[in-house]
Amino acid sequence: MPGIIVVGGGFAGVWSAAGAVRLARETRRELSVTLISPGDDLVIRPRLYQSAPERMRVSLDRILGPAGVRRIAATVTGIDTTGQTVTTTDRNGLSAELHYDRLILATGSELVRPDVPGADLLFDVDTLPAATELDIHLNRLPDLPPGAGRFTAVVVGAGFTGLEIATELMDRLGAVAATHAPGAKARVVLVERANTLGPELGPGPRREITDALAVLGVEYRLGVSVAAVEPDQVALSDGTQFATHTVIWTAGVRANGLTAGIPGVRDRLGRLEVDANLAVTDVPAVYAAGDTAAAAADPGHRVMQCCQHALQLGKFAGHNAAADLLGLPAVPFSATPYVTCLDLGSYGAVFTDGWDRRVVATGAVAKERKRKVNELWIYPPTDDADELLRQADYRFSVRQIREPAV
Ligand SMILES: Cc1cc2nc3c(=O)[nH]c(=O)nc-3n(C[C@H](O)[C@H](O)[C@H](O)COP(=O)(O)OP(=O)(O)OC[C@H]3O[C@@H](n4cnc5c(N)ncnc54)[C@H](O)[C@@H]3O)c2cc1C
């Protein structure tokens, strides 16, 4: 039976596997689909800035098992695009080599840490283990010896992730401080190297962001970065120092390192160039989806490294890899209209439309939309192959997702 290997069990990987199975089922063809991922769960990365991050995962077997996707718990350590094989290492350290007829690379992205003294002391919310480590650290702050910076956090990078964690931290850290002593206050300082907040978000949502920081009491320093980190303080590039035990790094994400093993052209984020069908340019039998793919979205725009695009890229990559293998027509990728929804903690949220990020909703309305994104729209169905395959159709819209009755 012809076989597709999907590498990566994130949003793009899950929907690639489901998209491939969907086409095979629809056309009543035989196809084996295998997904390789080191963990047993789909990690809901967009929620890792929230408290109790260990909740933010869904069993891959409950999503993909009923649809007949075979899963291998292992890390891919090498890809041979000439011999069409991948090398894996499992949790026991055992290596194996697997052949693919078509490969979909969906290994996501990873945070790039800065080269500064004490960089190993930086926290982050990029992965489930890192977000969990931060959560445990925050809850243990009351156990530290009293000191000026005990309930101070410094967040580095005022982009999407930095803004979400900084605004959320006012409440999270405030709650921790209050358990220690009534009236104990949290302090959050946001540090941004550019001279503006949310530089990559553009001017559209900036006023709303500035208002949110003011109302919540999040301080910010622009035009500076981190120079050195110590266990109980951080020094900024302008010489300012803050007493703190909590410095969170959010700046700079790149495509996962496995992209470097594919002999294709890469963009400045390390993403692989793909054609309209999401096949990696000039590399036979290899597709890319999610944060590893530099796909064209709308004229003049490439996809963003975001969940909205990862889901859609996965569905098309799965469909097209299967179509290629089964001798069926491919469907050129088309992105859903680009929107963003930025959480601003207890202030609310800001929802924008289009590449110029025009604000279309703020406050409680945007917050409710963010809740739906976070708690409903990005969760694939579990234990239900028919519903999974219905949603795996590249024409499916989140508006067709049924909200559970409460
Ligand atoms: C804190 C935070 C907040 C975010 N907020 C938003 C948001 O509000 N909206 C939004 O749209 N996006 C948001 N994002 C971005 C979004 O999470 C990513 O764009 C999305 O997860 C990309 O999906 P993906 O499937 O490409 O990669 P991932 O979800 O990262 O999945 C990659 C998968 O590949 C696996 N993998 C990695 N290396 C290997 C290997 N060598 N072998 C096998 N498997 C491997 C990983 O284990 C994982 O299963 C946020 C991200 C973070 C960290």
Side-chain angles (χ1 to χ4, degrees), residues 7-14 36-39 41-49 60 74-77 106-110 125-127 160-161 164 253 256 258 289-292 304-311 339 341-343 370 373-374 378:
V7 187
F11 295 98
V14 159
I36 307 175
S37 171
D41 300 313
L42 163 70
V43 174
I44 309 296
R45 265 180 96 194
R47 297 190 66 186
L48 293 182
Y49 65 97
L60 285 166
T75 300
V76 170
T77 52
T107 45
S109 53
E110 52 207 16
V125 289
D126 197 51
T127 63
F160 217 100
T161 303
E164 289 199 327
V253 166
N256 171 273
L258 266 190
D291 286 359
T292 59
M304 301 291 291
Q305 286 182 309
C306 71
C307 209
Q308 178 196 345
H309 286 153
L311 297 165
V339 294
C341 200
L342 177 71
D343 204 340
K370 184 70 179 180
V373 170
N374 270 353
I378 61 175

Side-chain angles (χ1 to χ4, degrees), residues 29-391:
R29 305 286 285 276
E30 292 282 308
L31 183 68
S32 105
V33 179
T34 302
L35 183 137
I36 307 175
S37 171
D40 293 329
D41 300 313
L42 163 70
V43 174
I44 309 296
R45 265 180 96 194
R47 297 190 66 186
L48 293 182
Y49 65 97
Q50 296 182 314
S51 61
E54 67 280 359
R55 300 172 292 151
M56 311 309 181
R57 54 188 169 158
V58 186
S59 155
L60 285 166
D61 285 341
R62 289 189 55 195
I63 302 167
L64 295 170
V69 175
R70 177 178 169 230
R71 192 172 70 79
I72 297 176
T75 300
V76 170
T77 52
I79 300 171
D80 174 357
T81 55
T82 309
Q84 297 194 189
T85 58
V86 295
T87 307
T88 61
T89 303
D90 72 13
R91 291 172 193 160
N92 300 317
L94 294 176
S95 291
E97 195 174 89
L98 302 169
H99 171 79
Y100 63 81
D101 293 306
R102 296 293 178 277
L103 180 79
I104 303 176
L105 188 69
T107 45
S109 53
E110 52 207 16
L111 197 60
V112 182
R113 282 176 168 260
D115 185 14
V116 296
D120 56 315
L121 296 169
L122 292 165
F123 289 93
D124 70 75
V125 289
D126 197 51
T127 63
L128 187 58
T132 305
E133 191 186 333
L134 172 66
D135 198 51
I136 292 169
H137 167 81
L138 294 175
N139 288 319
R140 286 190 183 152
L141 286 174
D143 302 338
L144 290 176
R150 186 158 38 161
F151 300 116
T152 297
V154 174
V155 176
V156 190
F160 217 100
T161 303
L163 288 163
E164 289 199 327
I165 182 77
T167 50
E168 184 83 3
L169 265 184
M170 281 311 281
D171 273 2
R172 283 176 69 183
L173 206 49
V176 172
T179 61
H180 165 68
K185 286 226 162 44
R187 182 183 185 198
V188 178
V189 184
L190 189 56
V191 171
E192 168 55 52
R193 190 168 50 183
N195 286 316
T196 166
L197 289 165
E200 78 273 28
L201 295 171
R206 196 159 293 142
R207 202 177 125 209
E208 202 59 23
I209 292 168
T210 313
D211 287 353
L213 299 185
V215 168
L216 295 174
V218 175
E219 301 165 41
Y220 55 89
R221 303 290 168 101
L222 301 177
V224 284
S225 190
V226 163
V229 190
E230 291 179 37
D232 54 1
Q233 67 172 16
V234 61
L236 304 186
S237 53
D238 65 355
T240 319
Q241 296 193 338
F242 290 96
T244 177
H245 300 270
T246 314
V247 185
I248 305 169
W249 178 260
T250 70
V253 166
R254 276 183 71 79
N256 171 273
L258 266 190
T259 51
I262 306 267
V265 180
R266 279 166 288 274
D267 73 356
R268 67 178 179 83
L269 296 171
R271 303 183 299 180
L272 290 159
E273 299 269 355
V274 290
D275 68 15
N277 301 333
L278 306 183
V280 176
T281 316
D282 297 332
V283 184
V286 179
Y287 290 74
D291 286 359
T292 59
D298 297 320
H301 293 281
R302 292 206 162 163
V303 289
M304 301 291 291
Q305 286 182 309
C306 71
C307 209
Q308 178 196 345
H309 286 153
L311 297 165
Q312 193 74 352
L313 285 160
K315 293 176 187 181
F316 276 88
H319 180 101
N320 286 338
D324 191 19
L325 200 48
L326 300 174
L328 300 166
V331 181
F333 173 67
S334 73
T336 48
Y338 178 57
V339 294
T340 66
C341 200
L342 177 71
D343 204 340
L344 293 170
S346 58
Y347 177 85
V350 57
F351 180 67
T352 74
D353 187 24
W355 294 94
D356 55 351
R357 298 190 181 81
R358 220 168 2 91
V359 174
V360 287
T362 58
V365 174
K367 188 79 175 180
E368 173 56 12
R369 189 171 278 240
K370 184 70 179 180
R371 187 194 67 76
K372 279 197 172 152
V373 170
N374 270 353
E375 297 175 19
L376 182 69
W377 291 340
I378 61 175
Y379 278 76
T382 49
D383 309 318
D384 189 343
D386 289 342
E387 181 59 14
L388 180 80
L389 299 183
R390 184 178 83 93
Q391 295 190 18

